[in-house]
Amino acid sequence: MKKTMQEAFQDFYPDDTSYCYGCGRLNKDGLHIQSRWDGEESVCVFTPRPYHIALPGYVYGGLLASLIDCHGTGTAAAASYRAERREMDSDPPLRFVTASLKVDYLKPTPLGIPLSVRGKVKEIKGRKVVVEITVGAEDQICVRGEVVAVRIPGQ
Amino acid sequence: MKKTMQEAFQDFYPDDTSYCYGCGRLNKDGLHIQSRWDGEESVCVFTPRPYHIALPGYVYGGLLASLIDCHGTGTAAAASYRAERREMDSDPPLRFVTASLKVDYLKPTPLGIPLSVRGKVKEIKGRKVVVEITVGAEDQICVRGEVVAVRIPGQ
């Protein structure tokens, strides 16, 4: 069945690169982070689990870094297909890994509600894509991040 | 019972700040990251679980960021006690949160073996501590990170 753009970016990853703990659909113990386009930005909505605690009532920073990481590489892949004017189910597949990650924790992120992770492509240059990301809870931006993603060698 | 320096930094955290998913001893679903001094450096040995996959055979970047995060705040606390020439079981307790995190993934980190996370204090200035961190697998440094940790307000 042909996939549609309603599906998540991660639904298009080849099976052998779909075991990521953060976003792999084939990792049964994983977080199953999913990212989609919302106009020119990408968005991922994720509700941390009750045990994803930093201090009681707030979300663990390592989980927030994980959301930024996987949403960043997913956005990098999706943006690269767009730049090549290709559908995400066309060959060759594009899959990115993280070269570097920056996270600024602006304020504590409340636990127990859905978080909105939004990505914006800052730069596409050869095999490298830079994505700026925010994590919001209700109307507040709690975290800002930046991912430098690079296309997996051999693709 | 008086705690000794063989115990982990995180064993000295007050109960109400010991629910962190990364390093809280009271979070039964958490990772239980533990950090100790090794001379002037701090060290944490952690074996990722089999499902902490990035690409098959390699460790998930969000987990590596989590190790850097918790080892960084733990090292910041321990270094601050040292700077005040206090034992870690003395009052008032010192507990840090992460203000910002940088991670450079230098090479893929192999999954299935213990990782050595090492911290070095770069700066202590008022309530802020900057910790430089490496993650090594066998003899290879796979990841470099930096944590800016700040003392929890009110302490």
Side-chain angles (χ1 to χ4, degrees):
Chain A
M1 199 179 74
K2 191 171 163 67
K3 295 190 174 74
T4 71
M5 284 309 279
Q6 278 77 48
E7 287 174 281
F9 302 159
Q10 290 84 2
D11 291 329
F12 296 93
Y13 290 170
D15 284 358
D16 61 348
T17 64
S18 288
Y19 289 91
C20 174
Y21 178 73
C23 64
R25 66 179 182 280
L26 301 179
N27 189 324
K28 69 180 178 53
D29 298 299
L31 301 171
H32 300 283
I33 292 165
Q34 293 203 314
S35 309
R36 292 174 173 83
W37 285 120
D38 180 20
E40 289 303 303
E41 291 191 2
S42 59
V43 65
C44 153
V45 176
F46 187 91
T47 303
R49 297 171 190 168
Y51 49 77
H52 285 140
I53 302 164
L55 300 175
Y58 298 104
V59 179
Y60 175 51
L63 178 78
L64 295 163
S66 299
L67 296 176
I68 290 168
D69 183 5
C70 287
H71 188 58
T73 51
T75 301
S80 298
Y81 283 102
R82 273 198 174 180
E84 296 184 7
R85 300 176 187 280
R86 289 208 278 132
E87 296 294 326
M88 291 193 72
D89 58 356
S90 64
D91 284 324
L94 301 176
R95 181 81 163 86
F96 283 71
V97 291
T98 305
S100 72
L101 180 68
K102 276 196 292 188
V103 186
D104 289 313
Y105 299 95
L106 307 176
K107 56 182 74 177
T109 303
L111 186 63
I113 59 173
L115 304 178
S116 178
V117 187
R118 299 192 71 85
K120 197 181 291 188
V121 175
K122 186 178 171 186
E123 185 186 343
I124 301 185
K125 194 173 178 181
R127 304 178 70 85
K128 188 179 91 171
V129 179
V130 182
V131 184
E132 292 176 326
I133 294 178
T134 58
V135 182
E138 292 170 339
D139 293 338
Q140 299 270 312
I141 302 284
C142 300
V143 184
R144 284 187 187 278
E146 187 177 282
V147 171
V148 178
V150 291
R151 197 167 153 186
I152 293 179
Q155 287 191 336
Chain B
M1 198 180 74
K2 191 172 164 67
K3 295 189 174 74
T4 70
M5 283 308 280
Q6 278 76 47
E7 286 174 282
F9 302 159
Q10 290 85 1
D11 291 329
F12 296 93
Y13 290 170
D15 284 359
D16 62 347
T17 63
S18 289
Y19 289 91
C20 174
Y21 179 73
C23 64
R25 66 179 181 280
L26 301 179
N27 188 325
K28 70 180 175 54
D29 298 299
L31 301 172
H32 300 283
I33 292 166
Q34 293 202 313
S35 308
R36 294 174 171 82
W37 285 120
D38 178 20
E40 290 303 304
E41 292 190 3
S42 60
V43 66
C44 154
V45 177
F46 187 90
T47 304
R49 297 171 189 167
Y51 49 77
H52 284 140
I53 301 164
L55 300 176
Y58 298 105
V59 180
Y60 175 51
L63 177 79
L64 295 163
S66 299
L67 296 176
I68 289 169
D69 182 5
C70 288
H71 188 59
T73 52
T75 301
S80 298
Y81 283 102
R82 273 197 173 178
E84 296 184 7
R85 299 176 188 280
R86 289 208 277 131
E87 297 293 327
M88 290 194 72
D89 58 356
S90 63
D91 283 324
L94 300 176
R95 182 79 164 87
F96 283 70
V97 290
T98 306
S100 73
L101 179 69
K102 275 196 293 190
V103 186
D104 289 313
Y105 299 95
L106 307 176
K107 56 183 73 176
T109 303
L111 185 62
I113 59 173
L115 303 179
S116 178
V117 187
R118 299 191 71 87
K120 197 182 289 187
V121 176
K122 186 178 171 186
E123 184 186 345
I124 301 185
K125 194 172 178 183
R127 304 177 70 85
K128 188 180 91 168
V129 180
V130 182
V131 184
E132 293 175 326
I133 294 178
T134 58
V135 182
E138 293 172 337
D139 292 339
Q140 298 271 312
I141 302 284
C142 300
V143 185
R144 284 188 187 278
E146 187 177 282
V147 171
V148 178
V150 291
R151 198 166 152 185
I152 291 179
Q155 288 191 335

